[in-house]
Amino acid sequence: MKVLLLNGSPHTNGTTAAALDEMRGVFEKEGVEAELLQIGTEPLRGCIGCRKCLKLSGRCTFDGDIVNEILGKIAEADAFVIGSPVYYASANGAVLSVLDRVFYAGGGLFAGKVGAAVACARRAGTTATLDDLQKYFPINGMPMAATQYWPMVYGMKPGDAAGDLEGLQTVRLLARNIVWMIRSFDAARKAGIEPPAPEEPRAWTHFIR
């Protein structure tokens, strides 16, 4: 079993990293492989709606950044965790660009995998950021893990997150719930209980004709 974590912050040792590291510790303790990907500081394209990905078998036409790396790894993962700092009461624009492209190019790859998001801030904007991040899961058939409170961790400087005892406890429980969910889904499949398949053909209702 494997969890893929995405640090949507350009900083490798900030509050977002601390939150995801707290979760990664739980995964490792539970014997679940956890791989952390860093969004980095290089320029990232947004999706331009070219639809070329539809012909590329789950890859984005723009190569050379983290998007196709994520798409290449998600097939082996059982869960996908997104962490983002708060920028102007919203998620980091770079991580939203990545997620737009990842889910548009490879949305079908995520169906049935557990999704979870974590927001990190100095003070405010965390719930709006979670709203940004969590919208990607249900539209792509991903059951979303829950915890005891909103999954948010506070801190401004590296090391500050250690003082947010409630936030760290909340994301640890989030990680344990992810482990429980992926083990439950695995047990269900082994018992012959498969997730429901979508109806075919897909119905499309457009409001302007």
Side-chain angles (χ1 to χ4, degrees):
M1 294 182 178
K2 181 175 180 178
V3 177
L4 192 64
L5 304 101
L6 175 64
N7 183 350
S9 170
H11 304 294
T12 58
N13 65 340
T15 303
T16 307
L20 295 178
D21 281 342
E22 195 78 7
M23 296 181 71
R24 186 163 55 168
V26 172
F27 296 136
E28 291 173 353
K29 183 178 179 179
E30 294 287 341
V32 173
E33 182 183 354
E35 181 175 2
L36 177 65
L37 299 180
Q38 177 74 34
I39 201 170
T41 56
E42 296 299 316
L44 285 159
R45 290 177 177 266
C47 180
I48 63 170
C50 67
R51 298 175 66 85
K52 291 182 180 178
C53 56
L54 301 179
K55 301 178 181 179
L56 294 175
S57 301
R59 290 185 65 81
C60 180
T61 189
F62 296 124
D63 217 336
D65 60 25
I66 197 172
V67 169
N68 283 329
E69 182 180 359
I70 294 171
L71 290 170
K73 292 177 180 291
I74 196 62
E76 298 178 357
D78 300 287
F80 185 43
V81 179
I82 307 162
S84 175
V86 172
Y87 287 7
Y88 291 94
S90 180
N92 177 2
V95 76
L96 292 179
S97 293
V98 166
L99 296 175
D100 283 348
R101 289 169 55 203
V102 160
F103 282 100
Y104 195 67
L109 299 173
F110 292 84
K113 300 180 188 297
V114 176
V118 177
C120 301
R122 181 194 70 84
R123 187 169 178 85
T126 45
T127 51
T129 296
L130 288 172
D131 185 53
D132 285 337
L133 300 176
Q134 292 174 345
K135 286 175 178 173
Y136 291 92
F137 304 136
I139 199 172
N140 288 285
M142 300 178 71
M144 194 164 63
T147 181
Q148 64 191 16
Y149 192 70
W150 305 115
M152 52 184 70
V153 176
Y154 288 94
M156 182 175 179
K157 303 184 300 297
D160 283 356
D164 185 6
L165 300 182
E166 181 179 354
L168 295 179
Q169 183 184 68
T170 299
V171 297
R172 288 196 300 270
L173 179 58
L174 179 64
R176 290 198 298 274
N177 280 337
I178 290 170
V179 172
W180 177 78
M181 289 175 72
I182 62 178
R183 286 176 175 164
S184 297
F185 294 161
D186 182 61
R189 290 188 178 95
K190 288 177 179 176
I193 304 171
E194 294 292 336
E199 293 183 9
E200 295 292 346
R202 171 76 179 267
W204 297 98
T205 302
H206 302 294
F207 296 100
I208 299 176
R209 297 187 181 276

